[in-house]
Amino acid sequence: MARYAIGVDLGGTNLRAAAVDSSGKLIERLSGRTNLAAGRDAVVGDIVDSILRLRTACGDGGLAGIGVAVPGIIEMRRGIIRESPNLPGFNDFPVRDEIERRLQAPVHLENDANAAALGEKWVGAGRDVDDLVLLTLGTGIGGGIICQGKILHGSLGMAGELGHIQVVPHGNPCACGGHGCLEKHASATAVSLMARLMGLGDNLTSEEVYQLAVQGNSAAHVVFATMGRALGVALADLINIFDFPLYLLSGGALAAWDFFAPSMFEEVRRSSYVYRYSKPRIDKAELGTDAGLFGAACLPFMA
Amino acid sequence: MARYAIGVDLGGTNLRAAAVDSSGKLIERLSGRTNLAAGRDAVVGDIVDSILRLRTACGDGGLAGIGVAVPGIIEMRRGIIRESPNLPGFNDFPVRDEIERRLQAPVHLENDANAAALGEKWVGAGRDVDDLVLLTLGTGIGGGIICQGKILHGSLGMAGELGHIQVVPHGNPCACGGHGCLEKHASATAVSLMARLMGLGDNLTSEEVYQLAVQGNSAAHVVFATMGRALGVALADLINIFDFPLYLLSGGALAAWDFFAPSMFEEVRRSSYVYRYSKPRIDKAELGTDAGLFGAACLPFMA
């Protein structure tokens, strides 16, 4: 049978796994919840079970390898999650070695946003380019950089922490120690906070703020315009730094594209002269919540 | 004889050329002024003359190739200077083709800050790493990024425009169209402007502001502390984006290192948690004004 890889995307909420062939075609998939309440060992057990089930279904013979995407700051060489707000209990845990020990097989570990960027490059919105930057807009903001077809890792594997580009000096303080980080001004959390500060309601989700914008609420429009400007500042920096042909945004916030994109493009045009020369594409990612899963499955084929 | 390359570094003031062997050893060098008053044709003539003189001195046989570094925004594929404030008359000029036509030999064209970064990687402060970022602090601020041993070019060759990272939103307006660009807050020009605004004198050079700081002038100390914070914001962004092991600064401003470095490091430590994990080196470049020359000479060996 055809060669295939198994990819696992471990999130704070969902645990996804799939077998994908070398052309990026999905063969089989499994979806479940991440059972954090049961503890770290149980979660690792669920990952291993998913992999074993897919391997049994697809056969040992064609298995090219296994990739696992996890949220948080990864130390690549040691296969350790240094810090993961979404996976309590996994900090400083050698998750790669533990999965390998139980499977008796090698595993490629990767940060989830890096994996998502690779997934978009492989079978998504970036399939026609070799260089791209992905911003994942969620509760926080993650980033992944594909340079010459490969994930840009840096020394320890921590490259692409794009949610912490400073867009507002002396701005909103961030848990990272900085102030005015992109994710404090353009994430779903930031949208909720801005809505509260503007008197729209105390506990609105970003989705509810979006619904208010759809209904024509002008304060909600201002919230998304502000989010767009923050994204524009970060994108202008990234374009001046990389001069890449493609910058992708993903995450639930894409629904509000029409509300934040105008101020985002205005800021990019104003602040990046490389943008004005190079005319790169700034666009929506295509794979939605499957990007990290495909990227994880792509890892063994890249090795 | 040994293989060698000829490198030319064309600046707004100086024209440098050298023959360098494949191990990075200088064989022969020529230095002169860039005679902009005589016009573009004369400047190109001087470049070609330098190359011919070195080729005659070193012999045709071992010549590996020719590299030319120029200031400004380069379009790599077409070998064109799109925009160069320091070389009036060269905008949109196909300088590579013109040199090749007169020499009847192929030429590698490169942006001067990119070439300087490559030079530092080849025989300077970056010789022990594969990945580094260089910031050149002068009248403006340029940047060069070395990724896996090679210059990061981006789509058109405009990557590394690090002087236009936004460090102060709504800050000092910049000729690039943006506001609060790094070079408006940390270049020699910015130091002079800050000194004027602080009442130190109307037309002080950055060197004179530095002398005031040496004499203990507290306003001059504030100027350099402010410059350091701006550098720190940009470096924190770059470290969060790249997680590279080395970030180098070059240019005349290095003399004031002791005055700007403390606030620079303080800002980096505060704003970049990748810095706190990865502990990259932020240091002085080593090759001074020769970095671009060595980088230009390195280009043929990289091709």
Side-chain angles (χ1 to χ4, degrees):
Chain A
M1 72 165 293
R3 266 163 61 88
Y4 73 99
I6 294 174
V8 177
D9 185 12
L10 175 66
T13 309
N14 295 300
L15 173 60
R16 298 179 177 88
V20 182
D21 78 12
S22 59
S23 72
K25 203 170 134 271
L26 187 81
I27 301 171
E28 182 96 33
R29 71 183 299 157
L30 301 170
S31 295
R33 308 289 287 179
T34 303
N35 194 357
L36 287 173
R40 189 177 70 193
D41 264 14
V43 172
V44 173
D46 288 343
I47 293 172
V48 170
D49 277 353
S50 307
I51 294 167
L52 292 174
R53 282 170 58 195
L54 288 165
R55 193 167 71 180
T56 302
C58 300
D60 263 355
L63 182 59
I66 297 156
V68 177
V70 296
I73 308 285
I74 312 297
E75 204 178 312
M76 290 290 296
R77 206 157 5 202
R78 295 163 64 206
I80 282 176
I81 301 177
R82 286 296 293 266
E83 194 178 313
S84 183
N86 295 325
L87 292 179
F90 280 75
N91 287 7
D92 288 318
F93 177 60
V95 61
R96 185 192 61 201
D97 288 359
E98 181 57 23
I99 300 174
E100 288 185 341
R101 193 185 62 77
R102 298 199 199 181
L103 279 177
Q104 291 297 307
V107 166
H108 301 268
L109 187 73
E110 188 54 80
N111 165 274
D112 57 353
N114 286 351
L118 183 62
E120 292 288 343
K121 194 263 163 288
W122 193 27
V123 289
R127 60 189 168 274
D128 295 329
V129 300
D130 279 331
D131 303 289
L132 67 86
V133 172
L134 171 70
L135 289 171
T136 61
L137 311 177
T139 313
I141 294 184
I145 300 163
I146 303 295
C147 185
Q148 309 262 303
K150 292 181 182 163
I151 294 169
L152 182 81
H153 280 122
S155 301
L156 294 183
M158 297 177 185
E161 286 298 326
L162 309 183
H164 298 280
I165 293 176
Q166 187 175 311
V167 296
V168 182
H170 319 297
N172 221 343
C174 183
C176 81
H179 284 75
C181 293
L182 176 63
E183 78 171 27
K184 302 307 287 187
H185 295 270
S187 63
T189 316
V191 166
S192 298
L193 175 64
M194 285 190 278
R196 178 150 57 86
L197 294 173
M198 297 192 71
L200 286 171
D202 269 0
N203 291 301
L204 296 181
T205 64
S206 55
E207 167 67 19
E208 289 166 327
V209 184
Y210 165 67
Q211 289 302 337
L212 287 174
V214 171
Q215 290 156 30
N217 183 299
S218 60
H221 282 250
V222 171
V223 167
F224 286 110
T226 306
M227 170 195 173
R229 267 195 306 280
L231 284 170
V233 170
L235 284 166
D237 281 350
L238 291 166
I239 294 166
N240 282 337
I241 290 169
F242 287 106
D243 184 20
F244 279 174
L246 182 62
Y247 303 81
L248 294 173
L249 305 180
S250 72
L254 286 196
W257 177 271
D258 289 347
F259 297 117
F260 71 73
S263 63
M264 176 181 79
F265 280 106
E266 187 187 313
E267 181 64 38
V268 168
R269 267 191 302 271
R270 189 175 70 92
S271 295
S272 171
Y273 69 125
V274 173
Y275 178 82
R276 298 196 299 271
Y277 279 121
S278 262
K279 306 265 173 15
R281 190 155 68 97
I282 301 173
D283 211 343
K284 300 176 189 179
E286 284 180 7
L287 301 179
T289 52
D290 281 347
L293 185 59
F294 277 97
C298 185
L299 293 169
F301 293 121
M302 303 284 294
Chain B
M1 71 167 294
R3 266 163 60 88
Y4 73 99
I6 293 174
V8 177
D9 185 13
L10 175 66
T13 308
N14 295 301
L15 172 61
R16 298 180 177 86
V20 182
D21 77 12
S22 58
S23 73
K25 201 169 135 271
L26 187 81
I27 300 171
E28 182 96 33
R29 71 184 298 158
L30 301 171
S31 295
R33 308 289 288 179
T34 303
N35 193 357
L36 287 172
R40 188 177 69 195
D41 263 15
V43 172
V44 173
D46 289 344
I47 293 173
V48 170
D49 277 354
S50 308
I51 294 167
L52 292 175
R53 283 170 59 195
L54 289 164
R55 193 166 72 181
T56 303
C58 300
D60 264 357
L63 182 59
I66 297 156
V68 177
V70 296
I73 308 285
I74 312 296
E75 204 178 311
M76 290 292 294
R77 208 157 5 200
R78 294 164 65 205
I80 282 175
I81 301 178
R82 285 295 294 266
E83 195 179 312
S84 183
N86 295 324
L87 292 178
F90 279 76
N91 286 6
D92 287 320
F93 177 60
V95 62
R96 185 191 61 201
D97 289 358
E98 180 58 23
I99 300 174
E100 289 186 341
R101 192 185 62 76
R102 298 197 198 183
L103 280 177
Q104 292 296 309
V107 165
H108 301 269
L109 187 73
E110 188 53 82
N111 166 273
D112 57 353
N114 287 352
L118 184 62
E120 292 288 345
K121 193 263 164 286
W122 194 26
V123 289
R127 60 190 168 274
D128 296 328
V129 300
D130 279 330
D131 302 288
L132 67 86
V133 172
L134 171 71
L135 289 171
T136 62
L137 311 177
T139 313
I141 293 184
I145 301 163
I146 303 295
C147 185
Q148 309 263 303
K150 291 181 184 165
I151 295 169
L152 182 80
H153 280 123
S155 301
L156 294 182
M158 296 177 186
E161 285 299 325
L162 309 182
H164 299 280
I165 293 175
Q166 187 175 308
V167 296
V168 183
H170 319 297
N172 221 342
C174 182
C176 81
H179 284 74
C181 293
L182 176 63
E183 77 171 28
K184 302 306 288 186
H185 296 269
S187 63
T189 316
V191 167
S192 298
L193 174 64
M194 284 190 279
R196 179 150 58 83
L197 293 174
M198 297 193 70
L200 286 172
D202 268 0
N203 290 301
L204 297 181
T205 63
S206 56
E207 167 66 21
E208 289 166 329
V209 183
Y210 165 67
Q211 289 303 337
L212 288 174
V214 170
Q215 290 156 31
N217 182 300
S218 61
H221 281 251
V222 171
V223 167
F224 286 111
T226 307
M227 170 195 173
R229 268 197 304 280
L231 284 170
V233 170
L235 285 166
D237 281 349
L238 289 166
I239 294 165
N240 282 336
I241 290 170
F242 286 106
D243 183 21
F244 279 175
L246 183 63
Y247 303 81
L248 294 172
L249 305 180
S250 72
L254 286 198
W257 177 273
D258 289 347
F259 297 117
F260 70 74
S263 62
M264 176 181 79
F265 279 106
E266 186 186 313
E267 181 64 38
V268 168
R269 269 191 300 270
R270 189 175 70 92
S271 294
S272 170
Y273 69 125
V274 174
Y275 178 82
R276 298 195 299 270
Y277 279 121
S278 261
K279 305 266 173 18
R281 189 155 68 97
I282 301 173
D283 212 341
K284 301 175 188 179
E286 284 180 8
L287 301 179
T289 52
D290 281 346
L293 185 59
F294 277 97
C298 183
L299 293 169
F301 294 122
M302 304 283 294

